[in-house]
Amino acid sequence: SDYIRRLPVYLLLDCSGSMSGEPIEAVNQGALTELKGDPQALETACLSVITFNSTARQISPLTELMLFKEPELTAGGATALGGALHVLADCIR
């Protein structure tokens, strides 16, 4: 009865040069505001962050939303969206 099914949520965040300035600041300021304000999400969601610019990597493993610490993101480089999708596929496996 204590078992709660967790919903894995993977955020793929563009940190390429095209996100410099206001766009990356907006992501840093409010990427999780909606989720953290939802009581059901707080109880059930596990969150992981995958960033991509010239390369892609998982910077936060799946973590319960209540315990998740938001990373500080910076922008620069090219856009390796394909690499991010490969990282996501590996994480899901």
Side-chain angles (χ1 to χ4, degrees):
S1 67
D2 291 333
Y3 177 76
I4 296 174
R5 186 172 180 173
R6 295 287 178 184
L7 174 65
V9 177
Y10 291 90
L11 295 179
L12 276 66
L13 301 178
D14 184 354
C15 293
S16 66
S18 65
M19 293 292 290
S20 290
E22 239 178 82
I24 200 73
E25 286 305 315
V27 172
N28 279 323
Q29 295 298 318
L32 302 178
T33 304
E34 291 286 323
L35 276 177
K36 286 189 170 183
D38 182 330
Q40 185 174 1
L42 283 171
E43 290 181 14
T44 60
C46 285
L47 186 65
S48 173
V49 173
I50 297 169
T51 60
F52 60 97
N53 48 26
S54 297
T55 60
R57 64 189 182 109
Q58 183 183 32
I59 62 168
S60 300
L62 278 173
T63 305
E64 289 182 33
L65 187 55
M66 282 193 278
L67 303 174
F68 188 82
K69 304 276 189 255
E70 295 181 44
E72 184 70 24
L73 305 173
T74 58
T79 307
L81 177 58
L85 294 174
H86 286 289
V87 171
L88 173 62
D90 289 343
C91 290
I92 291 172
R93 276 189 221 112

